[in-house]
Amino acid sequence: MRCPAVSLLLMCLGTVLHVIGLASHQWSVEGDQSQGLWRYCVQDVCRSIPERLNTDALLICRVLALAGMFFSFVSVTLIGLAIHCKTYQYRTIVLTLLSTASSSVAFFSIVSCTTVWRTIYSVSSSIGFSFIISIIGGTSLIIGVLLFLYYVKTDKCDDRLLHV
């Protein structure tokens, strides 16, 4: 299998999915009402989140989700550089380890965000597709970087594939 391509594809897919989940408004759904990190919608009419729902816990969710997005972008960039620098083994290892650390921070930020969200809205509503998309995105990101780390460690990649 083409390890850099698969790893980078999984990581890019994870980042895009998390950004879509972050931006969309269906983290929680109750009847014809839905709420995301930024918008509150009733019957497909969306507005900013009402003051009564704009809590410190929501602010924590926003910060964690944005941190997850930021570290996802950093991780994808570092893996791209690691693929490009494959001929320099030391640089590849350093970039891969930095990307792994960044992906781990992104993943744990996303998981923490969703945990805080479910703590806030566990009784009143069910989870929406935006919530699920963010979790899938974070999982794809961490799987992609771990797959790349495995292939770099075991050196099972075809060297021709590592040159961009």
PDB file of all heavy atoms in Angstrom, residues 68-80:
ATOM      1  N   GLY A  68      -8.289  21.790  18.317  1.00  0.00           N
ATOM      2  CA  GLY A  68      -8.244  20.568  17.518  1.00  0.00           C
ATOM      3  C   GLY A  68      -8.032  20.870  16.045  1.00  0.00           C
ATOM      4  O   GLY A  68      -7.250  20.209  15.359  1.00  0.00           O
ATOM      5  N   MET A  69      -8.715  21.896  15.545  1.00  0.00           N
ATOM      6  CA  MET A  69      -8.554  22.286  14.149  1.00  0.00           C
ATOM      7  C   MET A  69      -7.131  22.788  13.886  1.00  0.00           C
ATOM      8  O   MET A  69      -6.490  22.388  12.917  1.00  0.00           O
ATOM      9  CB  MET A  69      -9.569  23.370  13.777  1.00  0.00           C
ATOM     10  CG  MET A  69      -9.481  23.820  12.337  1.00  0.00           C
ATOM     11  SD  MET A  69     -10.579  25.178  11.938  1.00  0.00           S
ATOM     12  CE  MET A  69      -9.808  26.525  12.823  1.00  0.00           C
ATOM     13  N   PHE A  70      -6.634  23.657  14.753  1.00  0.00           N
ATOM     14  CA  PHE A  70      -5.298  24.214  14.578  1.00  0.00           C
ATOM     15  C   PHE A  70      -4.234  23.115  14.572  1.00  0.00           C
ATOM     16  O   PHE A  70      -3.383  23.050  13.677  1.00  0.00           O
ATOM     17  CB  PHE A  70      -4.993  25.234  15.685  1.00  0.00           C
ATOM     18  CG  PHE A  70      -3.581  25.721  15.680  1.00  0.00           C
ATOM     19  CD1 PHE A  70      -3.151  26.647  14.746  1.00  0.00           C
ATOM     20  CD2 PHE A  70      -2.665  25.231  16.601  1.00  0.00           C
ATOM     21  CE1 PHE A  70      -1.837  27.083  14.732  1.00  0.00           C
ATOM     22  CE2 PHE A  70      -1.356  25.665  16.605  1.00  0.00           C
ATOM     23  CZ  PHE A  70      -0.933  26.593  15.659  1.00  0.00           C
ATOM     24  N   PHE A  71      -4.279  22.233  15.558  1.00  0.00           N
ATOM     25  CA  PHE A  71      -3.277  21.184  15.641  1.00  0.00           C
ATOM     26  C   PHE A  71      -3.438  20.144  14.527  1.00  0.00           C
ATOM     27  O   PHE A  71      -2.459  19.502  14.128  1.00  0.00           O
ATOM     28  CB  PHE A  71      -3.274  20.536  17.029  1.00  0.00           C
ATOM     29  CG  PHE A  71      -2.617  21.402  18.056  1.00  0.00           C
ATOM     30  CD1 PHE A  71      -3.371  22.069  19.011  1.00  0.00           C
ATOM     31  CD2 PHE A  71      -1.246  21.583  18.062  1.00  0.00           C
ATOM     32  CE1 PHE A  71      -2.767  22.889  19.956  1.00  0.00           C
ATOM     33  CE2 PHE A  71      -0.622  22.395  18.991  1.00  0.00           C
ATOM     34  CZ  PHE A  71      -1.388  23.056  19.944  1.00  0.00           C
ATOM     35  N   SER A  72      -4.643  19.994  13.992  1.00  0.00           N
ATOM     36  CA  SER A  72      -4.832  19.136  12.822  1.00  0.00           C
ATOM     37  C   SER A  72      -4.083  19.699  11.627  1.00  0.00           C
ATOM     38  O   SER A  72      -3.381  18.974  10.909  1.00  0.00           O
ATOM     39  CB  SER A  72      -6.314  19.021  12.468  1.00  0.00           C
ATOM     40  OG  SER A  72      -7.027  18.369  13.471  1.00  0.00           O
ATOM     41  N   PHE A  73      -4.224  21.008  11.398  1.00  0.00           N
ATOM     42  CA  PHE A  73      -3.509  21.645  10.293  1.00  0.00           C
ATOM     43  C   PHE A  73      -1.993  21.538  10.475  1.00  0.00           C
ATOM     44  O   PHE A  73      -1.267  21.259   9.522  1.00  0.00           O
ATOM     45  CB  PHE A  73      -3.913  23.116  10.148  1.00  0.00           C
ATOM     46  CG  PHE A  73      -5.251  23.325   9.517  1.00  0.00           C
ATOM     47  CD1 PHE A  73      -6.214  24.083  10.167  1.00  0.00           C
ATOM     48  CD2 PHE A  73      -5.568  22.787   8.284  1.00  0.00           C
ATOM     49  CE1 PHE A  73      -7.463  24.294   9.592  1.00  0.00           C
ATOM     50  CE2 PHE A  73      -6.801  22.984   7.697  1.00  0.00           C
ATOM     51  CZ  PHE A  73      -7.758  23.741   8.353  1.00  0.00           C
ATOM     52  N   VAL A  74      -1.530  21.751  11.689  1.00  0.00           N
ATOM     53  CA  VAL A  74      -0.094  21.636  11.972  1.00  0.00           C
ATOM     54  C   VAL A  74       0.391  20.219  11.687  1.00  0.00           C
ATOM     55  O   VAL A  74       1.432  20.017  11.043  1.00  0.00           O
ATOM     56  CB  VAL A  74       0.220  22.046  13.433  1.00  0.00           C
ATOM     57  CG1 VAL A  74       1.636  21.680  13.822  1.00  0.00           C
ATOM     58  CG2 VAL A  74      -0.033  23.528  13.635  1.00  0.00           C
ATOM     59  N   SER A  75      -0.356  19.236  12.113  1.00  0.00           N
ATOM     60  CA  SER A  75       0.037  17.847  11.934  1.00  0.00           C
ATOM     61  C   SER A  75       0.102  17.456  10.458  1.00  0.00           C
ATOM     62  O   SER A  75       1.049  16.799  10.021  1.00  0.00           O
ATOM     63  CB  SER A  75      -0.939  16.939  12.674  1.00  0.00           C
ATOM     64  OG  SER A  75      -0.532  15.610  12.574  1.00  0.00           O
ATOM     65  N   VAL A  76      -0.901  17.871   9.688  1.00  0.00           N
ATOM     66  CA  VAL A  76      -0.908  17.573   8.250  1.00  0.00           C
ATOM     67  C   VAL A  76       0.289  18.230   7.572  1.00  0.00           C
ATOM     68  O   VAL A  76       0.964  17.619   6.730  1.00  0.00           O
ATOM     69  CB  VAL A  76      -2.242  18.018   7.603  1.00  0.00           C
ATOM     70  CG1 VAL A  76      -2.158  17.988   6.089  1.00  0.00           C
ATOM     71  CG2 VAL A  76      -3.384  17.140   8.085  1.00  0.00           C
ATOM     72  N   THR A  77       0.577  19.461   7.941  1.00  0.00           N
ATOM     73  CA  THR A  77       1.731  20.163   7.363  1.00  0.00           C
ATOM     74  C   THR A  77       3.037  19.446   7.698  1.00  0.00           C
ATOM     75  O   THR A  77       3.901  19.266   6.832  1.00  0.00           O
ATOM     76  CB  THR A  77       1.781  21.613   7.885  1.00  0.00           C
ATOM     77  OG1 THR A  77       0.557  22.263   7.555  1.00  0.00           O
ATOM     78  CG2 THR A  77       2.945  22.374   7.283  1.00  0.00           C
ATOM     79  N   LEU A  78       3.182  19.017   8.940  1.00  0.00           N
ATOM     80  CA  LEU A  78       4.408  18.326   9.342  1.00  0.00           C
ATOM     81  C   LEU A  78       4.575  16.983   8.638  1.00  0.00           C
ATOM     82  O   LEU A  78       5.690  16.616   8.246  1.00  0.00           O
ATOM     83  CB  LEU A  78       4.439  18.143  10.859  1.00  0.00           C
ATOM     84  CG  LEU A  78       4.620  19.422  11.675  1.00  0.00           C
ATOM     85  CD1 LEU A  78       4.415  19.139  13.152  1.00  0.00           C
ATOM     86  CD2 LEU A  78       5.981  20.038  11.416  1.00  0.00           C
ATOM     87  N   ILE A  79       3.478  16.249   8.446  1.00  0.00           N
ATOM     88  CA  ILE A  79       3.581  14.979   7.720  1.00  0.00           C
ATOM     89  C   ILE A  79       3.935  15.242   6.265  1.00  0.00           C
ATOM     90  O   ILE A  79       4.723  14.511   5.657  1.00  0.00           O
ATOM     91  CB  ILE A  79       2.275  14.156   7.843  1.00  0.00           C
ATOM     92  CG1 ILE A  79       2.222  13.482   9.203  1.00  0.00           C
ATOM     93  CG2 ILE A  79       2.172  13.100   6.741  1.00  0.00           C
ATOM     94  CD1 ILE A  79       3.265  12.421   9.460  1.00  0.00           C
ATOM     95  N   GLY A  80       3.372  16.297   5.688  1.00  0.00           N
ATOM     96  CA  GLY A  80       3.749  16.667   4.318  1.00  0.00           C
ATOM     97  C   GLY A  80       5.234  16.954   4.206  1.00  0.00           C
ATOM     98  O   GLY A  80       5.903  16.519   3.266  1.00  0.00           O
TER      99      GLY A  80
END
